Amino acid sequence: MTKHGKKYTAAAAKVDIDKIYSAKEAVTLAKETSFTKFDATIEVHMRTTLDSRQADQQLRDVVVLPHGLGKTVRVLVFATGEGAVAARAAGADLVADDDETMKKIEGGALDFDVAISTPDAMGKVGRLGRVLGPRGLMPNPKAGTVVGPQDMERAIKEAKAGRVEYRLDKTNNIHVSIGKASFDAAKLFENYVALMDAVNKSRPSGAKGNFVKRITIASSMGPGVKADPNEHIEGAE
């Protein structure tokens, strides 16, 4: 059995493990029980009734959090010609429009947080799947990261502003960051509302009933706080 340190034990003592809190209470408590020296990330973990093996129960989408994630987001764009020009004009941190840059990325140079691609560059990007895939960096139309030159500025701005991808993993869970412990509790709650609104709107056709059956909110290394998955939150239809 894992032995926790004094700081964790003190933080955990503030949480009633048998209580299911309202979302606002859970977010506030997760913030208050953060004890790390660094600015911890506030994370939302959802247990669903979905089956990731079924085609009609897949869930993958993006949400733009109103208050961002509290970190600088570095954006890489795979493009050539007009797309590359648009990416640089829109403030991309790196544009992969030559073989040398592609080779560096293939070799593991992954100093970026979001990868965007134009459709015509996806042929080359596909060969980087074994490098980008495991790190969740593969551009994908469903995640809004495969766009034409005309939409490049919007895509880059959204990525830098706090666009977050969420998806069902192999264990049928969803894990999403909604900000930092240094955020005001009200801002964290508004980010949470935006996330749950997006998750409910991207409900798979094969989902039955309330497909999110358990929600836990926690800071990095902090204790988990149970939030009511059946709570109707204004703005989260």
Side-chain angles (χ1 to χ4, degrees):
M1 190 172 180
T2 305
K3 185 177 180 181
H4 293 293
K6 291 181 180 179
K7 289 183 179 179
Y8 178 91
T9 302
K14 299 178 182 179
V15 181
D16 183 346
I17 60 173
D18 296 317
K19 180 178 179 179
I20 297 178
Y21 294 84
S22 70
K24 187 169 286 186
E25 289 175 323
V27 168
T28 301
L29 195 50
K31 169 184 165 66
E32 291 177 352
T33 52
S34 173
F35 61 87
T36 58
K37 291 182 179 179
F38 59 88
D39 192 7
T41 298
I42 303 299
E43 304 161 349
V44 177
H45 306 278
M46 300 177 223
R47 182 69 178 170
T48 78
T49 60
L50 302 174
D51 184 347
S52 61
R53 298 170 297 179
Q54 304 301 316
D56 64 349
Q57 295 185 42
Q58 299 297 313
L59 193 153
R60 180 176 184 175
D61 213 326
V62 295
V63 58
V64 178
L65 300 177
H67 302 291
L69 287 172
K71 69 174 186 176
T72 301
V73 177
R74 288 181 56 81
V75 177
L76 163 75
V77 175
F78 294 100
T80 58
E82 184 185 352
V85 172
R88 290 189 170 94
D93 296 283
L94 182 64
V95 178
D97 59 349
D98 59 85
D99 292 339
E100 183 181 351
T101 304
M102 297 291 281
K103 287 179 181 177
K104 287 181 179 179
I105 295 169
E106 189 173 12
L110 301 171
D111 186 23
F112 54 91
D113 305 291
V114 176
I116 296 171
S117 177
T118 53
D120 60 350
M122 281 302 291
K124 289 185 177 181
V125 176
R127 297 198 287 270
L128 301 175
R130 63 180 182 80
V131 177
L132 300 175
R135 294 168 176 80
L137 294 171
M138 192 69 178
N140 185 286
K142 291 182 179 179
T145 47
V146 177
V147 298
Q150 70 278 7
D151 292 321
M152 189 61 69
E153 182 177 4
R154 175 190 56 79
I156 291 175
K157 283 185 176 179
E158 286 185 356
K160 287 182 173 287
R163 183 178 64 187
V164 178
E165 181 182 357
Y166 57 89
R167 62 189 299 179
L168 192 69
D169 67 14
K170 291 180 180 179
T171 59
N172 304 314
N173 295 322
I174 302 169
H175 310 280
V176 194
S177 299
I178 58 168
K180 294 290 186 179
S182 60
F183 279 25
D184 181 82
K187 290 184 178 180
L188 284 171
F189 177 65
E190 287 170 14
N191 277 358
Y192 175 85
V193 171
L195 169 64
M196 296 310 300
D197 184 34
V199 168
N200 287 323
K201 285 179 177 176
S202 57
R203 174 191 183 93
S205 60
K208 297 178 181 178
N210 187 355
F211 64 91
V212 178
K213 67 178 182 180
R214 187 163 66 243
I215 301 175
T216 302
I217 305 175
S219 64
S220 307
M221 301 170 63
V225 184
K226 297 175 184 176
D228 184 359
N230 300 310
E231 179 183 8
H232 176 78
I233 305 172
E234 187 175 346
E237 297 297 335

